[in-house]
Amino acid sequence: MSDGCCGPVTLDIEPFPSKADSHALPIVVIGAGPVGLAAAAHLAERDLDFLVLEAGGQVGASVAQWGHVRVFSPWRYNIDAAARRLLETSGWTAPDPDWLPTGAELIENYLTPLAAHPAIAPKLRLGTKVTAISRLGYDRVRTKGREQAPFLIRLDGGEEVQAKAVIDASGTYATPNALGASGLPAHGEPEAVTLVDHALPDVLGADRGAYEGRRVLVVGAGHSAATTLLALAELKDTPITWAIRAGSAARTYGGGDADALPARGALGTRLHALVESGRIDLVTGFYTHRITVTDDGLEVISRDPSRAERSITADRMVSATGYRPDHSIAGELRLDLDPILGSTRALAPLIDPNQHSCGTVPAHGVDELAHPETGYYTVGVKSYGRAPTFLMATGYEQVRSVVAALAGDWEAARDVQLDLPETGVCSSNLAEAQEARVGLATGVSGGLLANPLSLVSVDSGGGCCG
C-alpha cells in the first residue's frame, strides 16, 4: 500500500466469502407491498430461495395508510400473473375483475392471502426495517472481486443478513416531498408537524375529528389533493382553502367528460364545481415559504420568486405535494441515478412526465433497472424516482423480468411486454358502472399502489397519471 496521500492504493485482501458461498445465499426482497410480494411469487415459481423483509407490522403497510381510498384501476390490472397462479393453487377466488378496489380491499382480498401462501409465509419477516446495504468486506470504492462478494443487509436491530441479490421494492411512502415550494422544507415545517398531515388523511372516517369544524388548508395539485378536497367538502362548518403554485387549476380539473378515465374526469368536474360555488377557496400562485404555529393556528406564508409575500391562516393543513425516493440505504452501493428523476439513468427517458403519461411508458425490465452494482435492482414506484407515471402493471412486469434474469433466463427477462392503460384502464368505462353501484371512485392517480403522487405538468392530457 502506498504511503502517499494521493497515490494509488492496492488492496490485496481476497474476496470473502467465495463465489460458491455467495450463490448459496437467498435473494432478499425489501418491502411486502404489491410489487414486493409479486417478486416473491415469481421467485417462488422459479424455485429460487428468497427472503422478504417488511418494515411495517403487516403486508401492504403503506397501502393501509390510504386503505379508505378507491383506486382508478380495476382488479384485472392489480393482480400479478405469478401471484395469481400461486394463489389459485390454494383455492383462492379472484375478485371481480371489473371492480375498482379500495386500498383495504387490495390488502384483504389479495396481499394477505398471497403473504399467507405456504410458498411465501415462511420467508416473510414483518417489522424488519433495512437501514443499510453494502457488500460484505467492500465499501463503494473497492472493485477487485466485488461481484463475488455477497450483499450485506443491516437491519434496525443491528442484525445483518447476507444475500446474493437484492430487489428493493420499499416504495416512497415514508419520504414525502417537503412543503417548501423550492423542494426544500418550508421554514418552521418540522415544528408544525403535529398539525400537518400528508396526502389522503381519512377525513370522513378515522381522522374526522381532526378536521370537522376546523379551517383546513390543502397544498398540492394532484389527484390525492383533489380526493382530500372532495372529502373535506362533505364536512359541515369546515372552511377549506386550496393552495397551488400554478396560476390555474385546469390540469387538476382534467378533461371532464373527455377524460379517458371517467372516474378521474368526474373527480375534476366535481372539484371545479366546488371551487366555482365558493365551497372551496382556491389560491393560485402560492409558494409555501414559512409555517408558524400561533395561538390562532397555523400561519402559512407564501413568498413568490419576486419575494412578494401573502399568508393563509388555518387550523390544520394537508400536504399533498407528492413523494420522492430515498436511496440512502444503498449509499455504499454503486448506483447510476438520473440527476433529475432519481430513477436509473436508462429508465428516466422512458418515464419522463414531461413526455409520458403512465399509458405511454414503453415496456421495460431488467436492462433499464440495472445499476453498476450487479445484482441490485430497485423496482416498483421507487424505481420511478419522482416521476408520477407508475402503474401496478409496470411494477409487476419489472419484477417478472428481474427474477427471470436472476434465474439466468435472459430470453424471458428481455421479452418485456405491457398492456398499459391506453388499451385498458385509461380507455375503460368501468368507473361509470361502479359509480352506480358504490358511488364515485376517487383516489390516487392512475390506480397507483401504495404511493399517492402529485400531478405534474405534461403536454398531453389523456394519460391516466397526469
Side-chain angles (χ1 to χ4, degrees):
M1 180 181 295
S2 169
D3 292 328
C5 65
C6 298
V9 177
T10 302
L11 298 174
D12 296 321
I13 303 172
E14 290 299 317
F16 177 83
S18 69
K19 184 175 181 179
D21 291 332
S22 178
H23 281 203
L25 294 170
I27 296 166
V28 166
V29 178
I30 304 174
V35 177
L37 288 179
H42 283 275
L43 289 163
E45 191 169 64
R46 286 185 174 270
D47 200 26
L48 296 173
D49 190 20
F50 66 92
L51 178 65
V52 181
L53 305 177
E54 166 57 48
Q58 66 171 90
V59 295
S62 293
V63 178
Q65 299 299 306
W66 50 270
H68 56 288
V69 174
R70 193 173 300 281
V71 301
F72 287 133
S73 55
W75 269 115
R76 67 172 176 263
Y77 289 96
N78 299 334
I79 299 173
D80 172 74
R84 180 186 293 273
R85 291 190 291 267
L86 200 64
L87 284 165
E88 288 174 345
T89 65
S90 61
W92 171 80
T93 301
D96 178 351
D98 291 340
W99 186 255
L100 304 172
T102 63
E105 290 169 342
L106 192 66
I107 294 172
E108 179 183 358
N109 299 323
Y110 175 49
L111 299 182
T112 297
L114 180 58
H117 192 281
I120 293 178
K123 301 179 179 183
L124 171 63
R125 293 177 57 177
L126 300 176
T128 306
K129 183 179 180 180
V130 173
T131 60
I133 311 169
S134 187
R135 292 274 196 178
L136 183 61
Y138 288 75
D139 60 20
R140 193 165 68 187
V141 176
R142 289 194 60 216
T143 298
K144 183 179 179 182
R146 184 179 190 87
E147 292 186 8
Q148 285 71 49
F151 288 94
L152 181 69
I153 301 166
R154 182 168 293 174
L155 310 180
D156 59 353
E159 180 186 355
E160 293 181 342
V161 175
Q162 295 181 29
K164 68 178 179 181
V166 177
I167 301 174
D168 184 353
S170 58
T172 59
Y173 198 81
T175 51
N177 284 329
L179 268 167
S182 299
L184 304 175
H187 294 287
E189 187 172 338
E191 290 74 23
V193 65
T194 59
L195 297 176
V196 179
D197 285 324
H198 289 289
L200 298 171
D202 189 4
V203 299
L204 296 178
D207 301 319
R208 188 176 192 128
Y211 288 93
E212 192 161 32
R214 310 285 185 88
R215 297 166 298 176
V216 182
L217 170 62
V218 177
V219 177
H223 288 107
S224 56
T227 297
T228 297
L229 289 162
L230 288 180
L232 286 167
E234 296 188 32
L235 299 179
K236 294 181 179 179
D237 303 318
T238 304
I240 307 164
T241 303
W242 176 26
I244 61 175
R245 271 186 304 185
S248 164
R251 289 194 180 277
T252 307
Y253 297 148
D257 293 341
D259 198 299
L261 188 59
R264 186 183 63 180
L267 181 73
T269 298
R270 294 182 184 190
L271 179 60
H272 192 189
L274 288 167
V275 171
E276 289 295 305
S277 71
R279 178 66 184 92
I280 295 173
D281 180 20
L282 171 63
V283 178
T284 60
F286 194 86
Y287 294 76
T288 307
H289 176 68
R290 181 182 301 277
I291 305 172
T292 304
V293 180
T294 71
D295 292 339
D296 192 34
L298 291 170
E299 183 184 28
V300 185
I301 304 294
S302 165
R303 178 183 290 178
D304 68 22
S306 70
R307 301 185 67 82
E309 293 189 356
R310 52 182 165 159
S311 68
I312 296 173
T313 301
D315 299 307
R316 196 156 192 98
M317 191 171 181
V318 178
S319 173
T321 53
Y323 293 79
R324 63 181 64 185
D326 180 3
H327 295 290
S328 61
I329 61 170
E332 286 304 315
L333 300 183
R334 298 177 175 183
L335 307 186
D336 184 22
L337 298 174
D338 179 74
I340 299 172
L341 295 180
S343 66
T344 59
R345 198 178 301 267
L347 181 58
L350 307 183
I351 61 174
D352 182 355
N354 296 294
Q355 302 294 329
H356 292 286
S357 73
C358 61
T360 64
V361 169
H364 60 274
V366 65
D367 288 333
E368 292 79 14
L369 298 168
H371 287 281
E373 195 70 65
T374 304
Y376 174 77
Y377 300 96
T378 305
V379 299
V381 70
K382 186 173 181 178
S383 73
Y384 275 43
R386 299 196 192 190
T389 46
F390 178 79
L391 278 179
M392 230 180 291
T394 58
Y396 293 160
E397 181 62 5
Q398 286 179 343
V399 295
R400 185 208 62 77
S401 174
V402 167
V403 171
L406 292 173
D409 186 355
W410 284 96
E411 181 178 358
R414 287 172 173 149
D415 182 21
V416 288
Q417 300 179 18
L418 289 175
D419 179 16
L420 284 181
E422 285 198 336
T423 56
V425 178
C426 285
S427 60
S428 162
N429 64 0
L430 299 172
E432 292 177 335
Q434 184 152 323
E435 182 172 354
R437 296 161 72 181
V438 299
L440 175 65
T442 62
V444 291
S445 88
L448 237 82
L449 316 182
N451 307 356
L453 298 179
S454 63
L455 190 68
V456 298
S457 297
V458 293
D459 293 332
S460 60
C464 61
C465 293

